[in-house]
Amino acid sequence: AQSYGARDKAGVKAVIQNVCLLTTVVSLIFMFLGFASAEWLLRMMRTPQEVFVPAVGYLKVFLGTIPGMFGLFLVAAILRGVGDSVTPLKFQAGALLLAAILDPLFMFGWLGMPRLELNGTAVAAVISQGLSLIGLIAFLRWKNHEGAPRWRWIPNLPLVWTMLKIGVPSMFQQALVSVGVLVLMGLVNGFGKDGAAAFGAAGRIDQFAFLPAMSIGIAVSSMVGQNIGANRLDRVKRIFWWGIGLSLGLTSFATLIAMGCPGVILKMFTQDPEVIQIGVNYLRIAGIGYLLFSVLFASNGVINGTGHTMATTFFSLIGLWVVRLPLATYLSRSMNKIEGIWLAVVISSAVGMSLSLAYFFSGRWKTPVGAVKIAGPLSAK
């Protein structure tokens, strides 16, 4: 995005070539690491014994989606960086539609397909994501799109180092979040299968609520990167405020639903009254956190767009590992209720949002990471 904003076509091409190589290598490493540690990870999550064996089998198959998933994320990010968010959406929608068609075929063995039951959904995901990625790359190459993936098998080491400085903190940030979710799930599982089921059902609603905020945050990051490359810092604050306004406006609907009629929504996923009651309590507490996340994603979008990904990684470290998990452990035990975990989630979200806003208003983001080294025209200015 920074190179594109600086009208540096050579820089755009070089970034694409090198980041495609990095993503290919990293996706394969993580797929094999995940496969080797699947059983250990599920034990760390305190997965109930009665579902442990099918869970291991499902996870090992589902890990095959990593190359396709990484590839789709990568191409979508590249295209957003050059101002095209529509093309990847079409192919990702196609992947979802194909998965919806293949799911019952592989689960129930329809039309001569093997009957794989639960693992059928994982096989369908592997096939649909792989075909979607191949189709997207072929389409972009056919159109000679400036964001078409290209591989440079001999890396540009200075450029790779710059990208690692920006990308590795984000990688650790996502890893911190993912491992934190596993630890949190372990705490939830300690309250029995009803608590785990309620958390799983309510988590579907969480995903729906977070999507608008995450999408706005990604858009903010791309727009900030382009304007940084164009040397237009004056536009960044306007992007920040518009991002927060749009994010709050969209997320407020999810908050109203979560707090106003949570039981109705949960009945779409379960009919167990105990599970529904636990889920209702969760959503009425977590609904406030949706608004906090909407501000956090917009603010972090600005900071990430300037390349200061180390800062947002620090915010995640503090919010999740210093506040959420210790506080969830303390509150759930002192209250002897699972609601202590829900309260800790909201409080930690408020801490993360406050740290991000404080960093933005400090103005430290005004010295971008990467733009001068990658974009030739900007460095000439």
Side-chain angles (χ1 to χ4, degrees):
Q2 292 180 8
S3 297
Y4 184 75
R7 302 293 188 267
D8 182 7
K9 291 186 178 181
V12 171
K13 182 179 179 181
V15 170
I16 291 174
Q17 289 175 333
N18 284 272
V19 78
C20 283
L21 173 60
L22 280 176
T23 303
T24 300
V25 173
V26 170
S27 67
L28 294 175
I29 290 173
F30 273 84
M31 181 177 68
F32 289 115
L33 284 177
F35 189 86
S37 60
E39 294 186 20
W40 176 79
L41 287 170
L42 289 171
R43 287 195 180 95
M44 290 292 292
M45 292 173 61
R46 297 164 68 182
T47 303
Q49 194 60 40
E50 58 268 26
V51 298
F52 183 82
V53 173
V56 170
Y58 175 85
L59 179 57
K60 287 186 174 181
V61 176
F62 189 78
L63 285 166
T65 64
I66 286 181
M69 179 174 60
F70 275 38
L72 285 172
F73 286 163
L74 169 67
V75 179
I78 290 171
L79 294 181
R80 282 193 300 267
V82 298
D84 181 4
S85 61
V86 176
T87 300
L89 175 63
K90 292 178 180 177
F91 280 86
Q92 287 172 333
L96 290 174
L97 178 61
L98 181 59
I101 294 171
L102 294 178
D103 276 343
L105 298 184
F106 285 107
M107 287 177 68
F108 306 117
W110 292 352
L111 301 179
M113 297 294 182
R115 182 183 176 90
L116 302 176
E117 299 181 344
L118 176 64
N119 287 355
T121 62
V123 172
V126 173
I127 294 172
S128 61
Q129 290 199 2
L131 290 178
S132 178
L133 176 61
I134 292 170
L136 177 55
I137 293 174
F139 174 79
L140 295 174
R141 298 294 291 269
W142 175 59
K143 287 287 188 179
N144 198 26
H145 196 291
E146 56 193 330
R150 292 178 175 84
W151 281 260
R152 179 189 177 97
W153 300 112
I154 300 176
N156 179 329
L157 294 180
L159 179 54
V160 168
W161 174 245
T162 301
M163 287 193 295
L164 288 174
K165 285 173 62 179
I166 297 173
V168 169
S170 288
M171 182 183 73
F172 278 111
Q173 180 181 355
Q174 297 303 319
L176 287 171
V177 171
S178 297
V179 176
V181 169
L182 297 182
V183 176
L184 192 70
M185 192 69 205
L187 292 174
V188 172
N189 286 341
F191 284 89
K193 63 179 183 179
D194 286 345
F199 188 62
R204 303 288 184 88
I205 301 168
D206 283 350
Q207 292 172 1
F208 171 77
F210 292 158
L211 278 176
M214 291 174 65
S215 300
I216 295 297
I218 291 170
V220 165
S221 183
S222 297
M223 294 176 67
V224 168
Q226 290 174 358
N227 281 281
I228 288 292
N231 205 19
R232 291 298 303 270
L233 289 177
D234 56 298
R235 294 175 178 168
V236 173
K237 285 191 175 182
R238 280 188 290 166
I239 295 171
F240 168 78
W241 287 114
W242 273 105
I244 287 180
L246 288 170
S247 190
L248 282 172
L250 293 171
T251 307
S252 62
F253 290 106
T255 297
L256 290 174
I257 292 171
M259 300 183 72
C261 53
V264 175
I265 304 299
L266 287 167
K267 286 180 181 178
M268 297 172 59
F269 303 101
T270 179
Q271 298 298 317
D272 189 315
E274 291 294 327
V275 173
I276 290 174
Q277 185 55 54
I278 296 172
V280 164
N281 292 340
Y282 170 81
L283 289 174
R284 285 180 172 160
I285 295 172
I288 301 171
Y290 297 162
L291 298 176
L292 302 176
F293 267 108
S294 66
V295 177
L296 173 64
F297 285 135
S299 181
N300 278 359
V302 173
I303 299 167
N304 287 332
T306 63
H308 288 255
T309 52
M310 184 63 77
T312 55
T313 301
F314 176 75
F315 307 153
S316 294
L317 175 65
I318 297 298
L320 184 61
W321 289 92
V322 176
V323 178
R324 178 177 300 182
L325 296 177
L327 188 61
T329 303
Y330 171 75
L331 290 178
S332 61
R333 291 177 179 175
S334 62
M335 296 169 61
N336 198 27
K337 291 182 179 180
I338 197 171
E339 283 77 13
I341 299 176
W342 315 151
L343 290 171
V345 170
V346 174
I347 292 170
S348 65
S349 300
V351 170
M353 180 195 71
S354 300
L355 290 171
S356 182
L357 289 175
Y359 192 89
F360 173 81
F361 287 113
S362 74
R364 294 176 63 87
W365 54 270
K366 292 181 180 179
T367 303
V369 176
V372 173
K373 293 185 179 181
I374 296 174
L378 182 60
S379 60
K381 293 178 183 178

